Amino acid sequence: MDIGPVQDEQQRTSKVWTVPNVLSMLRLAGVPLFLWLVLGPEADAWALALLMVSGVTDWADGYLARRLDQYSKLGEILDPVADRLYILAVVVGLALRDVIPWWVALLLPLRDLLLWGLVPFLRTRGYSALPVHFLGKAATFNLLYAFPLLLLGDGEGRIASLAEVFGWAFAFWGIGLYWWAGILYAWQVRTLLRETERGAPAGVREAPGG
């Protein structure tokens, strides 16, 4: 058996300093900066610009990972973590600014807490995590558009009014899809628990896609 290709693949996926990973790290560094801009000087224009840069880099790191063949295990973790932290930072910032009600700000992290609570059950069957579902990606897409629009809508004039309308439209779709994806994840975990026996080493298998 030729283990050379296997070792090469492991070395390739274990790399840290790749272009996509650096972009994801920069996105993570922008999270506290965004909160400071929104809650400190209330520099909404700069906060919006930061969110736009974050959106571009979110697309760019996935594109470059495919284009440059720079997939890595770290990148698989950094990208969704950066998305969730940005969503959390935005909803907390907007809630503290009274742009959105607190029930909206609480709905999203509650869903993530639900999914994190399922991970120990997955590990009893030897699975480390569930794969990203297309509904989750669609939800993230809607939310990453919704909250910048709502921030832009926190003003006066026709543009602000239109931004608020479209922002809430994206927000309701995003929240609905976010929870729908969460329910599907929970159902998938239930199915795995019923159909898979205990005993496999935790984290050695990848759960089948939904």
Side-chain angles (χ1 to χ4, degrees):
M1 179 179 178
D2 187 2
I3 62 173
V6 176
Q7 292 177 337
D8 291 342
E9 177 68 15
Q10 290 177 342
Q11 291 176 354
R12 184 175 65 86
T13 58
S14 63
K15 289 183 178 180
V16 174
W17 297 109
T18 65
V19 174
N21 287 352
V22 170
L23 289 177
S24 294
M25 292 175 190
L26 289 175
R27 289 173 61 213
L28 285 170
V31 171
L33 177 59
F34 171 83
L35 282 173
W36 177 78
L37 289 171
V38 170
L39 300 177
E42 296 190 4
D44 292 351
W46 285 107
L48 284 169
L50 180 60
L51 287 179
M52 291 175 62
V53 172
S54 172
V56 171
T57 55
D58 184 28
W59 167 84
D61 62 14
Y63 172 79
L64 291 174
R66 295 186 298 270
R67 184 78 174 180
L68 303 177
D69 193 24
Q70 291 186 345
Y71 292 100
S72 68
K73 294 178 181 178
L74 179 62
E76 292 177 357
I77 297 173
L78 284 179
D79 187 47
V81 166
D83 286 341
R84 281 163 175 75
L85 285 179
Y86 258 105
I87 291 172
L88 180 61
V90 172
V91 297
V92 169
L94 296 188
L96 290 172
R97 284 272 302 271
D98 293 325
V99 176
I100 61 174
W102 274 103
W103 65 265
V104 172
L106 292 174
L107 271 178
L108 300 176
L110 280 176
R111 180 266 198 184
D112 288 332
L113 285 175
L114 168 66
L115 296 188
W116 288 336
L118 297 176
V119 172
F121 296 100
L122 280 173
R123 292 190 179 277
T124 65
R125 299 301 192 268
Y127 294 103
S128 58
L130 290 170
V132 177
H133 198 281
F134 75 93
L135 283 178
K137 294 181 180 179
T140 300
F141 172 84
N142 277 274
L143 293 172
L144 290 177
Y145 273 90
F147 296 120
L149 286 170
L150 290 174
L151 181 60
L152 182 60
D154 186 35
E156 299 179 354
R158 182 173 298 178
I159 293 178
S161 298
L162 287 173
E164 184 176 16
V165 170
F166 283 102
W168 279 113
F170 276 112
F172 285 128
W173 271 104
I175 293 171
L177 290 172
Y178 207 63
W179 271 93
W180 187 8
I183 292 170
L184 289 178
Y185 283 129
W187 184 263
Q188 189 174 352
V189 171
R190 177 180 179 273
T191 302
L192 287 172
L193 293 177
R194 291 181 60 184
E195 297 180 353
T196 309
E197 295 182 357
R198 288 176 176 266
V204 299
R205 294 183 291 177
E206 182 180 354

